[in-house]
Amino acid sequence: SSLVSRVQCRSVVCGYALQNSWIPKIIKKRVCTTFVEDSFSNGALCQCGGEREAHGSVALGDYFSTAIVNRWDSAQHSSEYPTDAFGELQFTGASKRHSYFLRLSWDTPPSMVYTLMTAHWGLPLPNLVVSVVGGEGRTKVKTWVREVLRQGLVKASQSTGAWILTAGLREGVGRCVGEAVRDHATAASSVSLNKVVALGIAPWGLVDHRQQLVNPQGSFPAKYYVKNMSQDSCCLDNNYQAFLLVDDGSVGRRGGTEFRAKLEDYISHQRTGIWGSGSINIPVLCMLISGEASMLERVDLSLKKSMPWLVLAGSGGLADFLSDVLDNLSSAPVVQSSGEGDVEAGPSVDLKDKVAERVKRHFPSEAESDKLVERALSIYQNRDFITIYHGEQEGPNDFDTVLLKALVGASKHRASADASPYNEELKLAVTWNRVDIAKSELFNGDIHWKYEDLEDSMTDALINDKPQFVRLFTENGLNILDYLTYGRLESLYRSVPDGTVLYHLLQRRLVERLGTAASENLLTQTFSFVCYPTNPFFQVARVLELLMGDICQPFYYDVLGLEQISSKRRALRHASKLLRGECLYREKRCLFPWASLFVWSVLQNRSEMATFFWEMTGESVLSALSGCKILRELSKLEAEAENKLSMKELAQKFENVAHDMFSSCYRSNESRSFTLLIRKSPVWGGTTCLQMGMGADARLFFSHDGVQSLLSQIWWGDMKRNTDVWKLLLTFFCPVLCISFCYQHSEDDEFRTDTLPPKRPFIVSRWREFWFAPVTAFLGNVLMYFLFLLLFAYVLLVDFKPPPPSGPAITEYVLYFWVFTIVCEEIRETFFLGTMTMRQRIRVYIQDVWNNCDLTAIVLFIIGVICRMFTWSYGFGRDVLCVDYMVFTLRLIHIFAIHKQLGPKIIIVGKMMKDIFFFLFFLMVWLMAYGVANQALLYSYDPSLERIFRRVFYRPYLHIFGQIPVEEMDVGKQWDMPCTDNVTLIQSGYEPCRTQYSNWLVVILLIVYLLVTNILLINLLIAMFSSTFSEVQANSDIYWKFQRYTLVVQYHSRPSLAPPFIILSHINLFIKRIIRKVPSIKIHHFVLQLRGKAANKLMTWETIQKEDFLTGQNTIQKSSDSERLKRMSAKVDGVLKHVTESRDFDHRLRALENEMEYCSNALSWIVDTLAQGSTFKPPRPPPTSRGTNENIKPALR
């Protein structure tokens, strides 16, 4: 019900937020509407505290009714009006960020106020609320109380993310709390700056200079100026983040406790965490400092609602009275006495007398002592919810532990008998994110934790990003296989905070599934994704499919029963049908729990959480690369620069982890590390490390020597890597030479025993080893491609005959067949390789730049061939083929990317092409500006579009390269071109004459244009090229190694023969794969499927390597300077703690000395008295003293 009320309040607030000045429509103030005369003011004042003149005519009109009223009451004698004081508050002269303030009636619903503070003001949700009661007015606060507030309360609140509630005025305890918050905010980091919220709840009529806050339209901000800030006053404190100014219609009177108590009670029923996802309600603790006797009622009423209290003994006033009663009367009996009509338990007469005695001692001036005694007895009966804190003796260092024990002690009395006594303490530690308390108090080996005790806290820690607790629970008995079901994983995705990129992606997929009809209603809801009854698993699968692309199979499709459905529309229908059913899959255990949690944390960009889950998941190298891939794709969709940067940094971190982890594996066992790269993963949708690294753009990973060694091994096949290229080229013309090459046969791989080819004769074996090597296919394709370009050039230049029936020539028909075989190979690569769907194949093909180049060349060739067959389009067809020849020739650039020296240069050229586009933009702007102005100044009238185009664009472009027709542009030079000023002739095409009077401006513009283009822009282009060259050249080796993988994969999958002979390979492949169903052996070079013992063996080996890697990382981290400083700081803190304890012991020893001295003197006096008396005669003389007090004191010391 509390969640529903919060949703309703939030919807009201968000609904009114669309209008201007929406706060006065829902928040009211109180104005006294009945003048009740104060008998002590001679009719000048009302009992509300306001003057007669300040009351309206309505308040003064009803004399009869006011005459019979004895006491002014806010509920009866004041009325509500729209509030006129709200908005932001700026303290003039204080370098403090703006605070929020609101004037509100005392009976305003606390749910509305809490929602306004969290949703509209943006205050962070509290993990703890400490309401400081008492210490108001101008009473002096004791020094040790100041230290408790500064070193204890505010420091503990900062570590727990708490709200501190006080009166918020610059007096008493409120001022001390404000100064403590200010000092800690100055010393703390920016991350923890917003964790402590100081909230002031003060009576509106008590605030000084409150008229500066009044503005019916709201103040943004209101200027609040106060003189003499060093003295105590009832002015607002500038160190508070927000102020609630409670208005009951009175002036100059303290109060507002009723609304504050209701707000505390409401907050105590709200859940902690994001969207109330925590495992407990928000803990609220009232802290009593000093206080007056009138506050007994406040304490009693809140105790009856099971509100815990922390009383600072020794702070004076009511706090000392309660500590005296509870400490000294704790052993007094409480008997069950029942009289007529009284069936409740009542205190004994002796206890009542003792309480009455202490009331008179602490409050001697109070007239109604009987009521105070009754209140005190009622409080005594609820003493289990009160914790006495002797701050003067204990010190403020462990105040957070004191708060925890106070709340835990109260919660134990509220909890059921079946609940674990440590559950509440654990939930509080999780809420406050105090893993140190949990380790020292709860997980020290004395408590046996059950799975049921950790389940809710684990969910809280996951949703609210507390990875240290997740690690702690995992190490102390929580089985992740039992915990993570698919239903719980769905709930984790439902808890994604709004505003994140993942939330928006899930929302889009939800709209996509529900259709456009439901989208409008969905997007208008406040909690559109969180509260909508939906199945987020399908949306998550769709989001992962978007981010991972076609690298792996879709996630969770097997859980939803969609693995056999390739159509998007059918999948949407099946998901909708599944949602309407019982969703039985939610009770099943998650198949790969650590990997699923890793993906969940990576999608939310949670660095520490994702790192821990990576440590726990299997397939560590592939998992790190997958995290890198997801984060880099998410960063492209993220709009905020800070989040985008953090995603890129975390992605780079995972790439570095993958690189370092694979280095550890490669050093351990080279053969197994190669298998690791090409193993087909069941966890990550059947992908491999190489495929995921390519998709993640992991250049650093591909630059590793182990990855390059595997690529070289695949590239050369069974031939030696030092084989000369000229020998391979010579073998094409004399195939017998392949027998003379040196071959290397790798040792039997323990993971490939089922994929070894059968033994063949020596010559056949050598022949296959030569032709099956990718380097052979590459050299053959290069050689034949040069022959293809020569044939193409010969046809265009020498043997391009007219259309049929005169042509084409035989050489041209050969060219047609050659291109046909190239097209066949492109079709084979696109549609007959891999296991992806048709849509995925086409998308992958189009994404490659060089595939687009091939597609363009083929399309242009087809157009050119068709056009050259007809007389009317013969010339156009030849032109198209000429352009097509250029495209085919540019394809050579990609072929030579395999070369170690040429490859990086090709990358540099590609990067520079992007720089040229930016340069051309600036050049075209300046060129157009100069060209139009120059043409208009030279020729007053010239309607010829051809001349305009040439002189506006083409001629200024030639100026850059030094071709400047001075005689045409300078009228002082002789120009032989005949011209005319006749408009008719000019319109018919004659050359117009130049304009004489403005030619001086033409010369100036020419000078400026040449200065800007030839000096400024050209040098800018050179600087851009130099920057690009330096950047790429520094990482040229990494770039080249990354590009090399694509080429190796391409030629590894190609047939041995090159076009046009490749048609023979296509026929052979068709017979073997389609007719004879012979599986491919070469496919296992890049994708290897492991099952059974082989898969377990590799997984175990990789896990051992990961443990060694993490151990090494921890050793390096512990030896770092920062960790040494942390350990030294912890030791210094321990020494200081021992010194403090020794001082405490010294203080106790001195007190013991005084007591011993007093006892010794008393005993001496008794002995002397008895010795002098005659009534009693001892049987023996008194014992002699073995030492004096002076001897005792050194012994005690």
Side-chain angles (χ1 to χ4, degrees):
S1 61
S2 61
L3 178 60
V4 173
S5 63
R6 285 187 61 190
V7 173
Q8 292 174 349
C9 293
R10 183 183 175 100
S11 62
V12 171
V13 171
C14 294
Y16 277 117
L18 299 176
Q19 309 172 11
N20 294 325
S21 302
W22 55 272
I23 289 182
K25 297 179 181 179
I26 59 175
I27 305 295
K28 307 298 180 182
K29 68 176 182 178
R30 282 274 176 180
V31 177
C32 179
T33 54
T34 304
F35 184 84
V36 181
E37 183 179 327
D38 188 357
S39 59
F40 298 100
S41 63
N42 295 325
L45 297 177
C46 175
Q47 288 187 18
C48 71
E51 299 179 353
R52 179 182 291 271
E53 291 77 8
H55 289 69
S57 58
V58 177
L60 300 174
D62 192 358
Y63 297 103
F64 178 77
S65 62
T66 57
I68 63 175
V69 175
N70 295 325
R71 186 175 181 181
W72 183 87
D73 182 69
S74 174
Q76 299 179 7
H77 304 135
S78 64
S79 301
E80 290 186 344
Y81 293 90
T83 184
D84 57 359
F86 61 92
E88 297 180 359
L89 183 62
Q90 180 182 3
F91 292 88
T92 306
S95 58
K96 181 80 169 57
R97 64 178 182 272
H98 294 178
S99 302
Y100 300 101
F101 73 98
L102 175 66
R103 177 185 181 183
L104 70 162
S105 175
W106 60 269
D107 57 351
T108 304
S111 58
M112 188 73 70
V113 178
Y114 181 74
T115 306
L116 183 142
M117 289 190 296
T118 55
H120 182 63
W121 287 354
L123 299 182
L125 296 176
N127 293 324
L128 169 68
V129 174
V130 180
S131 180
V132 182
V133 181
E136 299 177 356
R138 301 189 179 182
T139 56
K140 186 176 181 181
V141 181
K142 296 182 180 180
T143 304
W144 69 268
V145 175
R146 290 177 179 269
E147 289 301 315
V148 167
L149 294 175
R150 181 187 301 273
Q151 300 294 334
L153 175 62
V154 177
K155 188 176 180 181
S157 301
Q158 204 166 40
S159 64
T160 57
W163 284 9
I164 302 178
L165 273 57
T166 69
L169 304 177
R170 293 191 61 81
E171 60 174 12
V173 172
R175 179 167 186 164
C176 297
V177 171
E179 292 174 350
V181 171
R182 176 199 62 198
D183 296 341
H184 276 276
T186 303
S189 61
S190 59
V191 177
S192 60
L193 185 60
N194 295 325
K195 285 189 175 181
V196 180
V197 175
L199 178 64
I201 304 178
W204 166 260
L206 189 65
V207 177
D208 292 343
H209 309 286
R210 57 186 175 275
Q211 293 302 322
Q212 299 178 13
L213 310 178
V214 176
N215 185 357
Q217 284 74 37
S219 303
F220 302 96
K223 305 288 185 179
Y224 190 72
Y225 178 72
V226 180
K227 294 183 179 179
N228 197 2
M229 301 286 284
S230 61
Q231 297 181 359
D232 286 351
S233 63
C234 289
C235 300
L236 299 179
D237 195 312
N238 63 317
N239 297 306
Y240 284 71
Q241 280 85 351
F243 297 93
L244 298 178
L245 307 177
V246 183
D247 191 3
D248 60 355
S250 64
V251 178
R253 297 186 178 184
R254 298 187 182 275
T257 57
E258 183 177 353
F259 171 78
R260 183 169 169 182
K262 290 192 298 182
L263 181 63
E264 294 164 0
D265 183 64
Y266 175 79
I267 295 177
S268 67
H269 290 85
Q270 308 307 305
R271 304 290 280 186
T272 57
I274 303 171
W275 300 118
S277 58
S279 57
I280 60 170
N281 292 336
I282 298 175
V284 178
L285 176 69
C286 295
M287 181 177 175
L288 180 61
I289 301 176
S290 183
E292 301 175 353
S294 59
M295 292 182 181
L296 269 176
E297 182 180 4
R298 162 99 159 87
V299 177
D300 184 29
L301 293 176
S302 62
L303 284 174
K304 290 179 180 179
K305 296 180 180 179
S306 303
M307 188 73 69
W309 281 77
L310 180 67
V311 178
L312 258 66
S315 59
L318 181 60
D320 287 354
F321 167 71
L322 290 179
S323 63
D324 186 10
V325 170
L326 298 178
D327 286 343
N328 298 323
L329 301 182
S330 58
S331 60
V334 179
V335 299
Q336 302 291 331
S337 62
S338 59
E340 295 183 5
D342 184 15
V343 295
E344 294 182 356
S348 66
V349 178
D350 183 45
L351 177 62
K352 185 179 294 186
D353 293 340
K354 291 181 179 180
V355 172
E357 177 187 351
R358 282 164 173 77
V359 168
K360 292 179 181 179
R361 185 194 309 167
H362 289 276
F363 307 109
S365 60
E366 289 292 332
E368 300 178 347
S369 60
D370 293 340
K371 291 185 178 180
L372 296 182
V373 171
E374 294 297 329
R375 291 288 183 187
L377 291 174
S378 177
I379 291 173
Y380 184 79
Q381 291 179 347
N382 295 307
R383 61 187 179 276
D384 294 332
F385 295 99
I386 300 177
T387 302
I388 306 299
Y389 176 65
H390 299 275
E392 191 173 9
Q393 300 177 4
E394 299 181 23
N397 292 330
D398 298 328
F399 194 76
D400 48 359
T401 308
V402 174
L403 294 179
L404 178 65
K405 290 182 178 179
L407 292 169
V408 169
S411 63
K412 285 181 180 178
H413 293 91
R414 289 196 298 258
S416 61
D418 298 334
S420 172
Y422 303 102
N423 270 352
E424 291 297 324
E425 190 171 357
L426 175 62
K427 291 177 180 178
L428 282 173
V430 173
T431 302
W432 296 354
N433 200 18
R434 293 300 303 271
V435 71
D436 53 338
I437 295 178
K439 286 182 178 179
S440 60
E441 301 289 336
L442 302 173
F443 293 93
N444 51 12
D446 298 335
I447 305 172
H448 177 68
W449 290 98
K450 298 179 181 178
Y451 168 77
E452 294 78 10
D453 300 333
L454 303 177
E455 187 176 5
D456 292 339
S457 298
M458 179 69 169
T459 304
D460 188 1
L462 284 171
I463 293 176
N464 296 290
D465 194 17
K466 296 169 183 176
Q468 293 180 338
F469 274 100
V470 175
R471 184 187 296 270
L472 186 65
F473 296 151
T474 305
E475 295 172 351
N476 288 272
L478 189 139
N479 189 351
I480 197 66
L481 292 173
D482 296 332
Y483 172 79
L484 194 66
T485 60
Y486 288 112
R488 180 161 279 131
L489 187 60
E490 276 191 345
S491 66
L492 292 179
Y493 278 105
R494 285 195 188 97
S495 66
V496 173
D498 57 348
T500 59
V501 63
L502 176 59
Y503 176 84
H504 292 303
L505 289 174
L506 292 173
Q507 207 173 34
R508 290 174 192 169
R509 295 299 172 269
L510 178 60
V511 173
E512 176 186 289
R513 186 175 64 82
L514 296 178
T516 55
S519 62
E520 296 180 0
N521 297 329
L522 176 67
L523 294 177
T524 56
Q525 293 182 3
T526 307
F527 299 95
S528 54
F529 178 69
V530 178
C531 292
Y532 200 89
T534 181
N535 171 7
F537 232 41
F538 181 71
Q539 286 82 264
V540 172
R542 295 285 296 158
V543 169
L544 289 174
E545 185 179 2
L546 170 68
L547 298 176
M548 302 297 284
D550 304 316
I551 298 175
C552 56
Q553 298 298 323
F555 286 78
Y556 308 127
Y557 269 36
D558 54 342
V559 179
L560 300 172
L562 304 175
E563 65 272 15
Q564 302 297 331
I565 302 176
S566 58
S567 173
K568 176 182 174 182
R569 183 172 299 178
R570 289 178 57 197
L572 290 173
R573 286 201 302 266
H574 187 276
S576 301
K577 181 179 179 181
L578 182 65
L579 175 61
R580 292 191 294 268
E582 298 181 2
C583 297
L584 300 177
Y585 69 89
R586 290 176 178 171
E587 302 300 326
K588 297 180 181 179
R589 290 182 178 182
C590 190
L591 191 58
F592 304 106
W594 291 118
S596 298
L597 290 174
F598 175 72
V599 172
W600 173 78
S601 58
V602 165
L603 287 172
Q604 297 185 80
N605 193 26
R606 295 181 174 181
S607 175
E608 190 175 353
M609 186 83 77
T611 302
F612 169 68
F613 288 142
W614 173 82
E615 294 175 3
M616 301 302 294
T617 189
E619 303 184 5
S620 52
V621 178
L622 182 54
S623 298
L625 292 173
S626 302
C628 176
K629 166 68 175 175
I630 294 173
L631 286 164
R632 283 181 175 158
E633 294 297 330
L634 278 177
S635 65
K636 299 175 184 177
L637 304 174
E638 179 62 58
E640 296 185 8
E642 186 175 354
N643 292 339
K644 182 188 290 287
L645 180 61
S646 65
M647 288 178 180
K648 290 182 178 179
E649 290 176 351
L650 185 57
Q652 188 59 47
K653 174 185 176 181
F654 278 123
E655 183 181 351
N656 295 337
V657 167
H659 178 273
D660 298 340
M661 180 64 203
F662 182 72
S663 296
S664 177
C665 296
Y666 185 67
R667 288 192 297 268
S668 174
N669 191 310
E670 181 177 340
S671 176
R672 290 184 177 181
S673 64
F674 289 166
T675 307
L676 194 69
L677 291 176
I678 60 175
R679 174 195 53 191
K680 190 175 181 180
S681 169
V683 180
W684 295 99
T687 189
T688 66
C689 289
L690 292 178
Q691 293 171 351
M692 187 64 73
M694 189 66 190
D697 197 21
R699 299 173 183 174
L700 179 63
F701 177 76
F702 272 96
S703 67
H704 192 276
D705 292 340
V707 179
Q708 294 301 310
S709 179
L710 174 64
L711 294 180
S712 297
Q713 176 179 314
I714 296 174
W715 180 251
W716 286 95
D718 292 327
M719 290 187 293
K720 290 284 187 180
R721 300 182 189 179
N722 56 358
T723 305
D724 295 327
V725 176
W726 65 268
K727 293 182 179 179
L728 297 176
L729 292 175
L730 190 60
T731 308
F732 288 117
F733 303 99
C734 185
V736 183
L737 295 177
C738 67
I739 303 175
S740 62
F741 292 161
C742 295
Y743 293 88
Q744 56 181 5
H745 295 277
S746 59
E747 299 178 359
D748 292 343
D749 194 338
E750 55 186 324
F751 299 110
R752 301 194 186 189
T753 54
D754 57 338
T755 60
L756 292 177
K759 292 186 177 181
R760 295 182 176 88
F762 176 77
I763 298 178
V764 176
S765 176
R766 285 287 189 265
W767 179 266
R768 291 177 57 86
E769 288 168 353
F770 171 76
W771 285 107
F772 278 17
V775 64
T776 305
F778 170 76
L779 293 176
N781 276 272
V782 170
L783 182 62
M784 298 306 296
Y785 200 79
F786 273 110
L787 294 177
F788 166 74
L789 292 178
L790 289 175
L791 177 62
F792 202 164
Y794 176 80
V795 169
L796 287 176
L797 299 176
V798 178
D799 206 11
F800 198 80
K801 294 186 177 181
S806 302
I810 297 177
T811 54
E812 194 169 347
Y813 281 117
V814 174
L815 180 65
Y816 295 165
F817 177 74
W818 204 317
V819 174
F820 170 74
T821 58
I822 294 176
V823 172
C824 292
E825 176 58 21
E826 293 295 325
I827 293 175
R828 188 195 68 85
E829 289 182 356
T830 306
F831 299 105
F832 296 99
L833 281 182
T835 58
M836 294 183 293
T837 63
M838 188 66 64
R839 181 169 54 90
Q840 292 174 332
R841 296 173 192 271
I842 296 174
R843 185 165 61 241
V844 170
Y845 181 84
I846 295 176
Q847 287 175 352
D848 188 81
V849 176
W850 295 108
N851 286 338
N852 292 329
C853 180
D854 292 338
L855 190 61
T856 303
I858 292 170
V859 170
L860 288 176
F861 188 84
I862 294 173
I863 294 174
V865 169
I866 293 174
C867 292
R868 67 98 55 222
M869 295 297 177
F870 304 96
T871 307
W872 57 273
S873 59
Y874 171 80
F876 176 75
R878 189 176 187 278
D879 296 340
V880 171
L881 289 175
C882 292
V883 174
D884 188 39
Y885 179 80
M886 293 180 60
V887 179
F888 272 114
T889 307
L890 290 176
R891 191 64 173 80
L892 283 172
I893 296 177
H894 178 57
I895 293 176
F896 288 104
I898 194 67
H899 197 270
K900 193 169 185 177
Q901 279 72 37
L902 290 178
K905 302 302 183 294
I906 295 172
I907 297 171
I908 292 174
V909 171
K911 295 281 186 180
M912 288 182 176
M913 292 298 295
K914 298 179 182 179
D915 296 336
I916 288 179
F917 284 110
F918 290 107
F919 167 77
L920 289 178
F921 170 76
F922 292 108
L923 180 63
M924 286 302 298
V925 171
W926 186 243
L927 188 143
M928 181 178 291
Y930 167 75
V932 173
N934 179 69
Q935 174 67 10
L937 290 173
L938 275 175
Y939 303 98
S940 60
Y941 180 70
D942 187 4
S944 175
L945 294 179
E946 181 183 357
R947 284 198 297 265
I948 289 175
F949 179 79
R950 287 179 176 272
R951 292 171 179 175
V952 169
F953 294 103
Y954 183 59
R955 186 171 64 186
Y957 178 74
L958 294 178
H959 289 354
I960 302 175
F961 304 100
Q963 296 187 19
I964 305 173
V966 180
E967 66 280 356
E968 180 182 354
M969 303 182 64
D970 188 358
V971 295
K973 301 290 184 178
Q974 183 65 32
W975 192 29
D976 298 333
M977 177 67 69
C979 63
T980 179
D981 292 326
N982 192 327
V983 177
T984 304
L985 295 176
I986 293 174
Q987 290 178 348
S988 62
Y990 281 80
E991 177 73 24
C993 292
R994 296 169 295 176
T995 305
Q996 300 289 329
Y997 66 88
S998 59
N999 190 254
W1000 62 273
L1001 189 56
V1002 173
V1003 176
I1004 294 176
L1005 289 179
L1006 176 63
I1007 295 172
V1008 174
Y1009 172 74
L1010 293 176
L1011 180 68
V1012 172
T1013 54
N1014 287 23
I1015 296 178
L1016 180 63
L1017 293 181
I1018 296 299
N1019 281 280
L1020 173 64
L1021 180 63
I1022 295 173
M1024 292 169 66
F1025 282 171
S1026 299
S1027 175
T1028 302
F1029 182 84
S1030 301
E1031 178 185 353
V1032 179
Q1033 186 67 22
N1035 302 308
S1036 60
D1037 190 56
I1038 295 177
Y1039 278 97
W1040 170 73
K1041 289 178 179 178
F1042 180 71
Q1043 294 289 339
R1044 183 184 178 213
Y1045 168 75
T1046 307
L1047 205 65
V1048 172
V1049 171
Q1050 178 183 354
Y1051 284 98
H1052 175 268
S1053 62
R1054 280 200 171 190
S1056 304
L1057 299 178
F1061 307 108
I1062 199 172
I1063 193 68
L1064 301 177
S1065 297
H1066 289 164
I1067 297 173
N1068 180 47
L1069 288 174
F1070 178 80
I1071 295 173
K1072 291 177 64 176
R1073 304 287 181 262
I1074 305 300
I1075 298 177
R1076 297 177 58 193
K1077 306 294 183 180
V1078 178
S1080 174
I1081 299 176
K1082 292 178 66 175
I1083 190 65
H1084 297 291
H1085 294 162
F1086 275 105
V1087 179
L1088 181 62
Q1089 180 76 45
L1090 294 180
R1091 294 185 180 89
K1093 294 183 179 180
N1096 294 333
K1097 188 175 183 180
L1098 185 64
M1099 182 74 72
T1100 304
W1101 173 77
E1102 186 180 7
T1103 303
I1104 294 173
Q1105 300 307 313
K1106 180 175 65 176
E1107 292 175 355
D1108 295 342
F1109 168 75
L1110 293 176
T1111 302
Q1113 292 292 320
N1114 292 333
T1115 304
I1116 295 174
Q1117 185 177 2
K1118 288 180 180 179
S1119 62
S1120 63
D1121 295 338
S1122 60
E1123 290 296 323
R1124 290 180 180 178
L1125 288 174
K1126 287 181 181 179
R1127 290 195 296 270
M1128 186 178 295
S1129 176
K1131 291 180 180 178
V1132 171
D1133 291 341
V1135 171
L1136 289 176
K1137 187 175 181 180
H1138 288 304
V1139 170
T1140 304
E1141 292 176 355
S1142 64
R1143 290 179 180 176
D1144 188 25
F1145 291 148
D1146 186 55
H1147 178 74
R1148 293 181 180 180
L1149 286 174
R1150 289 181 181 178
L1152 182 61
E1153 280 185 20
N1154 295 333
E1155 293 293 333
M1156 290 289 294
E1157 185 176 359
Y1158 171 76
C1159 292
S1160 177
N1161 293 333
L1163 289 173
S1164 299
W1165 178 80
I1166 292 172
V1167 170
D1168 293 341
T1169 302
L1170 292 175
Q1172 294 176 2
S1174 59
T1175 59
F1176 175 74
K1177 293 183 179 181
R1180 56 185 178 86
T1184 59
S1185 176
R1186 296 183 180 181
T1188 60
N1189 290 338
E1190 287 75 10
N1191 296 331
I1192 294 176
K1193 291 179 181 178
L1196 289 174
R1197 294 192 181 118

